[in-house]
């Protein structure tokens, strides 16, 4: 039996008034696959992954997650969102709750899990991101890197089948980045399906099965990381990689 | 320091004017007799008009704060809703009340709405002798059963008026919450009601606590206006006491002190609440 694709996007279009944000995007991600999306800012990378869990609605095309079609304004979107974890550039932890409560609120409210079970689950994931000793603190008391690791644990607590990362290291100080990437790599080794928007090319080389290069709302090139970084086929990709290396 | 001296000088000057120019006879005893008196039959101290008025004002403040907070919270949320109908309702409510003087609103409310609505709701037919009404708790919470309708029209009027301002405070509070908080809540699959209850409202309330406290204190002070529709609260009864005794200065100074104590106490409680809320977020 061939594994059915976990995320299936075809002919996706999205526009704001007369500005086209995404145009004719087709992308299939299989269970266990790791896809890195890169491209210049404003190329629609974030918009694309935000469509997958419908933080943004699309106008045309279809998105299927674990076989279920995702539509803007649909009822029961919560059931799909529990399969899709998301990590944001700016962490977005809930500042009025302890770290532990940040992690347990999702399982308790969405999955109807008991408080004790949710706590046990949360501690397990906090251990995984090596931050369990901070469980009773509040988010603003933690460093950026720690907060992002908590955010990863919060998403994992929903036991999702796919994880979306929206530039998870872009808001971090350089010395904090390594810890977050390490957690992400461990996650990848454990077999999690991941779609990662990032400029961390080292991470892409080590972890990605495929690199998707986007520009101006379109997918320009899709290739395995080695091929993409050493011999990009399109001029736009060459230009982008040149700029990345130059700085 | 210079300012304090100036104020002191002004007080001394006014006192001197009152004493020597108006030849005013200060007599606190008559006014104080209206705070509390000894009941001729039982020989015990009982509250008199001014204290009764103060209690009514406190009841108005208590229920008014709760009612205004509920209306303000709902309307404030509606102001931020995606549903157009809810936005129109709440916006109309706010604009209507904010752009009419309180006095005019109170008259309109009293003569057109409460005089029509309350009989229709059967409020006038409440049996004053039923055990639901004629008991100690009811008297403690709402005052004399005979004055209940009168009290309610004053209360609803006051709450509706203040809630319009609370609506705007709540709206500002909700809108001040970062978009990322909504997104993070949605991303972990929270329903809209859970998102509001667990994520958005708790943060918004902490932010709006200071302006909210100010509005609640304004509510206490504004309760004086509804003396105009004969609600027997502090200001209404003070007018009667001042007229009966002729001791205008004493009466109003005493009443001012009562309002001050009440509002200051309220501000103090809220300041403590604020500190507690601040501790947990940091």
């Amino acid at each position: 039996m061939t594994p059915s694709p976990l995320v299936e996007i075809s002919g996706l279009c999205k526009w704001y008034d007369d500005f086209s944000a995404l145009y004719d995007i087709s992308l299939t991600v299989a269970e266990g696959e790791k896809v890195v999306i890169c491209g210049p800012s404003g190329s629609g990378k974030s918009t694309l992954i935000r469509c997958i869990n419908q933080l943004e609605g699309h106008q045309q095309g279809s998105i299927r997650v674990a076989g279920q079609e995702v539509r803007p304004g649909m009822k029961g979107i919560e059931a799909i969102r529990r399969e899709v974890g998301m990590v944001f550039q700016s962490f977005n932890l809930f500042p009025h709750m302890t770290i532990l409560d940040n992690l347990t609120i999702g399982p308790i409210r969405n999955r109807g899990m008991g408080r004790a079970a949710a706590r046990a689950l949360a501690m397990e994931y906090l251990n995984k991101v090596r931050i369990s000793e901070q469980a009773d603190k509040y988010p603003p008391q933690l460093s950026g890197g720690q907060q992002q690791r908590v955010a990863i644990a919060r998403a994992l607590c929903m036991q999702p089948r796919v994880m979306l990362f929206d530039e998870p290291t872009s808001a971090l100080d350089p010395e904090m980045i390594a810890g977050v990437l390490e957690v992400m790599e461990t996650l990848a080794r454990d077999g999690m399906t991941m779609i990662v928007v990032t400029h961390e090319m080292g991470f892409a080389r080590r972890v990605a099965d495929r690199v998707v290069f986007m520009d101006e709302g379109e997918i320009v090139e899709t290739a395995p990381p080695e091929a993409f970084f050493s011999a990009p086929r399109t001029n736009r990709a060459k230009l982008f990689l040149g700029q990345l290396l130059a700085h | 320091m210079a300012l304090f001296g100036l104020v002191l000088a002004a007080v001394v000057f006014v006192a001197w004017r009152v004493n020597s120019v108006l030849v005013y006879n200060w007599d606190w005893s008559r006014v104080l007799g209206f705070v509390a008196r000894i009941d001729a039959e039982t020989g015990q101290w009982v509250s008199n008009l001014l204290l009764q008025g103060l209690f009514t004002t406190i009841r108005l403040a208590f229920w008014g704060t709760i009612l205004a907070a509920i209306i303000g919270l709902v309307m404030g949320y509606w102001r931020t809703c995606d549903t157009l109908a809810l936005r129109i309702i709440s916006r109309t409510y706010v604009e209507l009340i904010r752009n009419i003087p309180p006095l005019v609103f109170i008259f309109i409310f009293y003569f057109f709405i409460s005089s029509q609505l309350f009989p229709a709701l059967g409020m006038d037919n409440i049996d004053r002798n039923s055990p639901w009404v004629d008991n100690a708790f009811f008297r403690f919470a709402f005052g004399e059963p005979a004055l209940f309708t009168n009290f309610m029209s004053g209360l609803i009027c006051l709450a509706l008026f203040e809630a319009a301002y609370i609506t705007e405070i709540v709206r500002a509070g909700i809108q001040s919450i970062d978009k990322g908080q909504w997104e993070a809540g949605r991303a972990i699959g929270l329903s809209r009601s859970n998102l509001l209850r667990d994520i958005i409202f708790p943060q918004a309330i902490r932010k709006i606590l200071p302006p909210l406290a100010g509005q609640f204190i304004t509510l206490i002070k504004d309760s004086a206006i509804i003396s105009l529709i004969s609600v027997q609260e502090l200001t209404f009864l003070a007018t009667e006491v001042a007229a009966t005794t002729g001791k205008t200065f004493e009466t109003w100074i005493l009443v001012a002190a009562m309002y001050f104590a009440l509002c200051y106490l309220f501000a103090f409680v809220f300041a403590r609440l604020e500190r507690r809320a601040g501790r947990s977020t940091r």
Side-chain angles (χ1 to χ4, degrees):
Chain A
M1 188 182 115
T2 52
S4 64
L6 200 50
V7 178
E8 210 178 350
I9 301 169
S10 70
L12 181 72
C13 294
K14 177 176 176 58
W15 56 84
Y16 305 99
D17 297 324
D18 57 352
F19 171 74
S20 167
L22 295 174
Y23 181 71
D24 195 21
I25 303 277
S26 292
L27 179 69
T28 305
V29 181
E31 183 113 49
E33 205 181 359
K34 289 99 183 111
V35 175
V36 164
I37 303 176
C38 64
S41 64
S43 60
K45 320 175 288 273
S46 295
T47 312
L48 172 60
I49 66 166
R50 288 156 61 86
C51 282
I52 296 174
N53 64 352
Q54 285 295 302
L55 290 184
E56 309 240 6
H58 56 283
Q59 279 98 352
Q60 252 177 44
S62 79
I63 303 173
R64 299 177 82 82
V65 175
Q68 263 191 294
E69 166 114 37
V70 182
R71 285 182 316 277
M74 70 185 287
K75 285 223 184 308
I77 183 72
E78 289 85 8
I80 291 172
R81 282 179 180 151
R82 78 171 66 138
E83 309 296 347
V84 185
M86 187 161 196
V87 176
F88 301 88
Q89 180 176 349
S90 50
F91 330 137
N92 296 344
L93 295 177
F94 308 129
H96 62 299
M97 295 179 173
T98 63
I99 299 303
L100 196 61
D101 290 341
N102 263 274
L103 266 67
T104 55
I105 181 102
I108 290 173
R109 293 281 185 247
N110 182 305
R111 289 199 184 269
M113 197 180 264
R115 203 158 284 273
R119 277 171 173 269
L121 184 72
M123 286 313 289
E124 188 186 314
Y125 283 113
L126 281 179
N127 271 320
K128 211 165 219 168
V129 300
R130 301 186 314 277
I131 216 151
S132 49
E133 66 281 3
Q134 319 271 16
D136 295 321
K137 288 194 179 165
Y138 288 88
Q141 294 170 287
L142 269 54
S143 75
Q146 289 174 321
Q147 288 192 49
Q148 193 59 300
R149 273 144 60 196
V150 171
I152 294 173
R154 176 176 67 179
L156 289 174
C157 254
M158 292 303 296
Q159 299 175 300
R161 294 178 62 185
V162 54
M163 287 280 286
L164 311 174
F165 292 85
D166 188 1
E167 305 205 25
T169 55
S170 300
L172 294 175
D173 293 334
E175 72 269 23
M176 303 286 178
I177 292 176
V180 171
L181 290 181
E182 225 176 280
V183 167
M184 289 167 66
E185 281 174 47
T186 313
L187 200 59
R189 270 200 301 277
D190 293 348
M192 177 60 79
T193 311
M194 295 163 72
I195 304 176
V196 186
V197 172
T198 185
H199 291 137
E200 294 293 331
M201 293 306 138
F203 172 82
R205 271 176 197 275
R206 288 193 298 275
V207 173
D209 297 311
R210 266 188 299 161
V211 175
V212 172
F213 174 69
M214 287 181 71
D215 194 16
E216 294 180 344
E218 291 178 84
I219 292 183
V220 177
E221 187 170 340
T222 306
E226 278 316 314
F228 178 74
F229 290 116
S230 52
R233 293 192 306 272
T234 56
N235 279 332
R236 282 197 275 183
K238 275 179 200 154
L239 194 68
F240 172 72
L241 286 173
Q243 279 165 345
L244 261 194
L245 293 176
H247 102 144
Chain B
M1 207 54 215
L3 197 71
F4 182 73
L6 215 63
V7 171
L8 199 69
V11 169
V12 169
F13 175 72
V14 169
W16 172 76
R17 287 279 299 182
V18 167
N19 274 322
S20 60
V21 181
L22 292 175
V23 201
Y24 188 83
N25 289 319
W26 290 91
D27 181 7
W28 286 93
S29 65
R30 291 203 57 198
V31 173
L32 287 174
F34 278 98
V35 174
R37 63 186 168 84
I38 294 174
D39 190 63
E41 287 168 29
T42 58
Q44 281 179 329
W45 282 97
V46 292
S47 59
N48 205 346
L49 291 183
L50 288 179
L51 209 53
Q52 284 163 11
L54 179 66
F55 289 152
T56 304
T57 293
I58 291 173
R59 286 184 195 109
L60 278 172
F62 180 77
W63 294 113
T65 299
I66 292 175
L67 200 58
I70 293 171
I71 299 171
L73 204 64
V74 172
M75 287 287 171
Y77 169 59
W78 284 7
R79 289 277 276 133
T80 67
C81 261
D82 291 335
T83 317
L84 185 65
L86 297 181
R87 281 212 310 275
I88 290 176
I89 293 172
S90 51
R91 178 76 193 272
T92 310
Y93 165 68
V94 168
E95 295 302 346
L96 219 56
I97 287 188
R98 278 206 310 193
N99 295 302
I100 297 176
L103 217 58
V104 177
F105 171 76
I106 284 166
F107 284 140
I108 289 177
F109 180 86
Y110 187 65
F111 292 115
F112 290 95
I113 300 176
S114 81
S115 66
Q116 304 299 320
L117 199 64
F118 280 14
L121 288 173
M123 287 273 271
D124 288 345
N125 305 330
I126 290 172
D127 180 10
R128 281 171 198 151
N129 300 318
S130 85
W132 288 103
V133 175
D134 196 16
N135 60 48
F137 174 76
F138 189 92
R139 276 166 201 280
F140 178 74
F142 302 107
E144 277 302 311
L147 294 170
F148 183 62
T149 340
N150 178 269
F151 176 79
M152 280 309 276
S153 61
L155 172 67
I156 293 173
C157 187
L158 185 65
L160 273 179
F161 185 76
E162 299 299 330
Y165 295 89
I166 294 174
T167 297
E168 284 303 276
I169 296 173
V170 170
R171 176 187 63 80
I174 293 176
Q175 286 175 344
S176 75
I177 303 301
D178 184 49
K179 215 169 106 258
Q181 294 289 310
W182 291 88
E183 291 182 347
R186 271 190 234 139
I188 54 169
L190 295 184
S191 66
R192 193 174 169 83
S193 56
N194 276 330
L195 187 55
L196 284 169
R197 200 184 61 196
D198 296 328
I199 312 297
I200 304 302
F201 278 152
Q203 293 186 64
I205 300 276
R206 280 181 174 87
K207 284 193 179 182
I208 62 177
L209 225 40
L212 218 49
Q215 197 58 47
F216 287 145
I217 288 165
T218 304
L219 181 148
I220 299 177
K221 290 187 293 184
D222 284 355
S223 73
I225 311 178
I226 59 173
S227 62
L228 282 162
I229 52 173
S230 307
V231 176
Q232 312 220 340
E233 44 69 76
L234 187 51
T235 301
F236 181 85
L237 293 175
T239 317
E240 295 200 334
V241 170
T244 316
T245 59
K247 295 289 154 197
T248 321
F249 288 167
E250 290 91 333
T251 309
W252 291 112
I253 287 170
L254 191 66
V255 167
M258 284 173 163
Y259 273 116
F260 180 85
L262 188 58
C263 291
Y264 196 77
L265 186 77
F266 209 88
F268 179 76
V269 169
F270 247 88
R272 295 204 52 155
L273 256 174
E274 222 175 284
R275 250 196 318 246
R276 259 201 22 213
R279 245 204 318 264
S280 64
T281 43
R282 228 184 324 182

